[in-house]
Amino acid sequence: MGKINKSKWVLFCFSIVFGLIVSMPGLAYAAPIHAGPQFVDGYYADPDVQIYNGTYWVYPTRSTQVGESNTGAKSVDIFSSTDMVNWTKYPNVISSANISWLQHSLWAPSGAYRDGKYYIYFAANAINGDGQLGGIGVAVADHPEGPYTDAIGAPLINVVRNGAGPMDQDVFIDDDGQAYMYYGSWGECNVVKLNADMKSLGTWPDGSVYKKVTPTKTGDNDYFEAPKVFKRNGIYYMNYAAGVWADSSYKVMYATSSSVTGPFVPQGIMLHTDTTTADGPGHNGIVQSPTTNDWYIFYHKRYLNNSQRVLAYDKFEFNPDNTIKPVEMAEEDNFDDSNDTGWTTYGGAWTAAGGQYSVASNPGAKALLDTSFSDLIYEADVTPGSTGNAGLVFRVSNPGTGADAYQGYYAGLDVPNQQVLIGKANNNWTSLATAPMSLTANTKYHVKIIAQDDSLKVYVGDMTTPKVSVTDSTYKGGSVGVRTYDSAAKFDNISVQSSRYETENLIVSATSGDKHTMFGNGTGRDLSLSGGFGTALEANAVNDYVTYTVNVPEARSYSVRVGVKKGPNRGQFQLSVNGVNHGVVQDLYSTAFNYVELNVANITFSSAGDKAFKFTVAGKNGSSSANHLSLDYIKLVPN
């Protein structure tokens, strides 16, 4: 299946997210609104999420915060919200003050509710075997915010069984009311029954306590830790972390089963590192909005230039066959939470309030997101003042304080001169183009930038015809942000999407040969396919194919470009769109493996919307040893 549109501004988005589902008690008061690149301030990880009486509750690991010097958090902060926008922090709900056996570390809390009591299950003391003080504990309270007390005064699980480290626990209550706890690190997963008191373990029919339920291992992105189980349409879903938590290989996978005890069969990647936005997302919680029925994944991630973990959430969806559509980490901010968490400012006095990001008039103030976009679609609402100009910066590097103290591009609205402008900076200013436009001070304008290779287009108000269109190849990629030059300005509804999409989790048909999907980025079958994830088809026959969906944003002409891997065993392919062939047969043979971008075809679309792009094996070069296809990404470049 192809990626899905996460925003009406996205240029043919395929979604990279595998969905999950879990039912939480209570009703939400309002439909959740995505606000900000991270939703609470500070460094946190491993979030679980529950809904109690209309309020969302998030339980994360507390990392060492700014200004602290201790290593290994020894307390838990939790957060609540009625709208997933404005959050209240409850500090130290669990710590050595109420957990007597806590010695040096406390992490991965998860919540549960039963019979008027609220529970937090947690891992503590990082034991490596039986007989040590530590493992999985449980605390109980009469209210979700506490105060919590140690339910049993000792660990609930303090042994290693089936190779599963006693940590990263998650409680799942099935339709019949039976509560289960899944847990385990070190590459193995167990499930135990919880008795009705929620603080003691039951037994299985064979008299055992611990049952191994590790998803089937394939040697490619196998289970490592952090199980999360939920049920939908009679299917049990387990999502889990693969890779190494401390680097970019960390990701969320998912598996399915018809039984609460498995076997769980891996289905693919749900969420992984995106080199444009964030690194190492993983260890998550799942929630459904009872008012909108939308599903959300809460997870931690690292910004590209910061090793600390922060909390984020994104929407995900299911396919008609109950598989999960991959998640694309959103990079957007509507400032409804009245903070600019995730933004770095360079000069000027910035304020997030009233659902807008405001800056006083300043000669060259900037605010940037820690991103790295090359080909992009960038949209925002810009309200310029009566003097100077205000707008958006993109492909920015080496930022500093000062009017042109950065390298990159800027598109601005100039009220005094009644024009739209675009230019580039490198500690000086070079104008690239201007276009006349009637502009009114203190009026909101919707601005869109489409940057594809050396084509830079700026749209204002009218999203079909660019106000300014230039060609420049000076800067290839970098951060995005907002900027003002001698203008008091406001910004809102920031949305940034890459217009280059990876080909993964696709519909693949092979009458012979093997399908290899979701590889690359140093962890899969092809370790260097442009540093991302792609799909390979080890085809041995003509007419094998790979198909995916492209969401064409506008009725116009595009150049279709595809990132591929050439090599001695590569075949030839023909592109068709909705059953009509386009372009010539492409030959992927070369004497050595190399990565290239092919201009496959120029296509004029008479309508926008989803189109079926199909790459069919057409044969092979006489020198090639096989028909294999390796596809990394596809992008549409407006002609």
Side-chain angles (χ1 to χ4, degrees):
M1 300 299 293
K3 296 183 182 178
I4 59 169
N5 242 342
K6 286 183 64 62
S7 161
K8 64 183 179 183
W9 306 304
V10 179
L11 207 141
F12 84 67
C13 241
F14 314 143
S15 225
I16 306 178
V17 184
F18 298 8
L20 317 128
I21 313 174
V22 93
S23 108
M24 303 290 184
L27 295 174
Y29 295 136
I33 300 171
H34 196 90
Q38 78 185 72
F39 66 87
V40 296
D41 197 10
Y43 301 138
Y44 293 92
D46 312 328
D48 180 44
V49 58
Q50 307 285 335
I51 297 178
Y52 302 135
N53 300 320
T55 299
Y56 296 83
W57 291 86
V58 172
Y59 305 80
T61 297
R62 183 183 184 277
S63 300
T64 300
Q65 303 296 315
V66 174
E68 296 179 344
S69 59
N70 63 303
T71 58
K74 294 172 65 176
S75 64
V76 167
D77 302 335
I78 60 176
F79 298 86
S80 72
S81 174
T82 58
D83 57 11
M84 289 176 63
V85 175
N86 302 287
W87 294 88
T88 299
K89 177 180 175 179
Y90 299 88
N92 301 320
V93 296
I94 298 178
S95 69
S96 56
N98 49 11
I99 306 297
S100 61
W101 51 275
L102 174 63
Q103 294 179 327
H104 57 76
S105 58
L106 177 64
W107 75 99
S110 59
Y113 169 83
R114 168 156 276 178
D115 298 333
K117 297 291 186 180
Y118 298 88
Y119 298 88
I120 296 180
Y121 298 83
F122 57 91
N125 296 352
I127 68 171
N128 296 311
D130 297 0
Q132 301 175 27
L133 181 62
I136 296 173
V138 55
V140 62
D142 293 326
H143 306 281
E145 70 274 21
Y148 282 87
T149 58
D150 192 338
I152 57 177
L156 175 63
I157 300 177
N158 64 345
V159 296
V160 177
R161 296 293 181 264
N162 302 319
M167 63 187 78
D168 289 0
Q169 64 294 319
D170 173 69
V171 173
F172 165 71
I173 301 177
D174 208 348
D175 300 335
D176 61 1
Q178 175 62 56
Y180 301 91
M181 185 165 66
Y182 296 80
Y183 73 91
S185 187
W186 311 342
E188 300 293 350
C189 181
N190 285 339
V191 61
V192 296
K193 283 186 173 182
L194 289 174
N195 291 324
D197 63 6
M198 300 294 281
K199 57 185 181 180
S200 62
L201 304 182
T203 57
W204 299 100
D206 63 2
S208 65
V209 175
Y210 304 93
K211 185 174 290 293
K212 182 177 177 179
V213 289
T214 308
T216 306
K217 296 187 177 182
T218 66
D220 192 9
N221 292 317
D222 287 338
Y223 175 95
F224 179 65
E225 63 185 7
K228 175 70 181 182
V229 171
F230 52 94
K231 188 178 183 180
R232 177 181 182 268
N233 292 346
I235 300 171
Y236 295 88
Y237 293 77
M238 178 191 289
N239 67 294
Y240 53 92
V244 179
W245 71 271
D247 64 31
S248 61
S249 70
Y250 204 57
K251 64 181 70 68
V252 179
M253 308 289 295
Y254 85 104
T256 58
S257 177
S258 60
S259 168
V260 72
T261 56
F264 285 93
V265 179
Q267 300 297 330
I269 299 173
M270 173 177 180
L271 179 64
H272 62 65
T273 289
D274 186 332
T275 55
T276 66
T277 56
D279 186 72
H283 200 135
N284 59 85
I286 302 300
V287 72
Q288 184 185 30
S289 166
T291 57
T292 66
N293 291 325
D294 291 327
W295 287 96
Y296 291 85
I297 176 172
F298 283 65
Y299 59 93
H300 71 242
K301 65 180 182 180
R302 292 180 174 86
Y303 290 121
L304 299 179
N305 295 298
N306 191 330
S307 62
Q308 293 280 9
R309 296 170 294 179
V310 300
L311 299 184
Y313 66 79
D314 278 296
K315 191 183 297 185
F316 68 87
E317 295 179 316
F318 294 86
N319 292 308
D321 64 357
N322 294 314
T323 57
I324 297 170
K325 296 180 179 180
V327 172
E328 194 87 48
M329 285 188 281
E331 196 65 38
E332 52 193 43
D333 202 341
N334 58 22
F335 303 103
D336 286 354
D337 53 6
S338 297
N339 71 58
D340 61 352
T341 300
W343 292 81
T344 301
T345 60
Y346 300 86
W350 295 85
T351 303
Q356 296 186 98
Y357 201 22
S358 304
V359 62
S361 180
N362 183 279
K366 298 180 293 295
L368 301 178
L369 290 169
D370 185 0
T371 56
S372 182
F373 286 96
S374 53
D375 301 317
L376 60 82
I377 302 166
Y378 180 15
E379 302 200 41
D381 291 334
V382 179
T383 303
S386 59
T387 60
N389 53 75
L392 311 180
V393 288
F394 58 102
R395 293 183 178 175
V396 172
S397 61
N398 301 315
T401 300
D404 302 312
Y406 65 100
Q407 294 175 318
Y409 297 104
Y410 167 65
L413 305 181
D414 185 339
V415 173
N417 294 304
Q418 294 290 283
Q419 66 180 5
V420 178
L421 62 91
I422 186 171
K424 57 185 178 182
N426 184 11
N427 292 315
N428 53 53
W429 175 252
T430 302
S431 176
L432 295 176
T434 61
M437 182 176 180
S438 177
L439 298 168
T440 303
N442 304 313
T443 299
K444 182 183 293 186
Y445 295 91
H446 191 68
V447 178
K448 177 172 71 174
I449 295 167
I450 296 181
Q452 298 276 24
D453 293 335
D454 57 359
S455 171
L456 311 176
K457 298 185 178 184
V458 182
Y459 301 74
V460 183
D462 177 4
M463 294 294 104
T464 60
T465 304
K467 293 292 183 184
V468 181
S469 180
V470 300
T471 299
D472 190 87
S473 59
T474 305
Y475 302 115
K476 301 297 185 181
S479 298
V480 300
V482 295
R483 177 182 184 267
T484 181
Y485 179 75
D486 286 337
S487 176
K490 297 178 180 179
F491 305 90
D492 195 7
N493 295 319
I494 305 293
S495 175
V496 192
Q497 297 283 347
S498 173
S499 57
R500 171 177 138 167
Y501 294 94
E502 296 158 359
T503 58
E504 58 184 357
N505 194 33
L506 311 182
I507 298 171
V508 179
S509 174
T511 54
S512 59
D514 299 318
K515 163 190 169 185
H516 292 170
T517 60
M518 294 169 290
F519 59 91
N521 205 28
T523 60
R525 301 181 190 279
D526 190 327
L527 303 185
S528 59
L529 188 59
S530 299
F533 288 78
T535 291
L537 177 61
E538 292 189 359
N540 295 315
V542 173
N543 295 326
D544 290 353
Y545 63 84
V546 176
T547 302
Y548 53 95
T549 300
V550 171
N551 185 1
V552 177
E554 299 173 359
R556 62 177 303 158
S557 175
Y558 293 93
S559 169
V560 179
R561 304 183 188 180
V562 182
V564 299
K565 181 180 181 180
K566 287 191 170 185
N569 61 348
R570 295 306 189 255
Q572 299 171 324
F573 71 79
Q574 172 70 59
L575 169 67
S576 64
V577 179
N578 288 353
V580 177
N581 287 346
H582 289 276
V584 300
V585 171
Q586 301 285 328
D587 191 347
L588 301 182
Y589 171 80
S590 67
T591 56
F593 291 116
N594 59 83
Y595 304 91
V596 299
E597 182 176 285
L598 300 179
N599 191 344
V600 175
N602 289 298
I603 304 176
T604 299
F605 294 94
S606 59
S607 64
D610 287 347
K611 315 293 180 183
F613 276 56
K614 183 177 182 180
F615 294 84
T616 302
V617 175
K620 61 183 178 182
N621 180 289
S623 301
S624 181
S625 60
N627 298 284
H628 301 171
L629 301 182
S630 289
L631 306 177
D632 184 15
Y633 62 86
I634 180 173
K635 63 184 179 182
L636 300 184
V637 179
N639 289 323

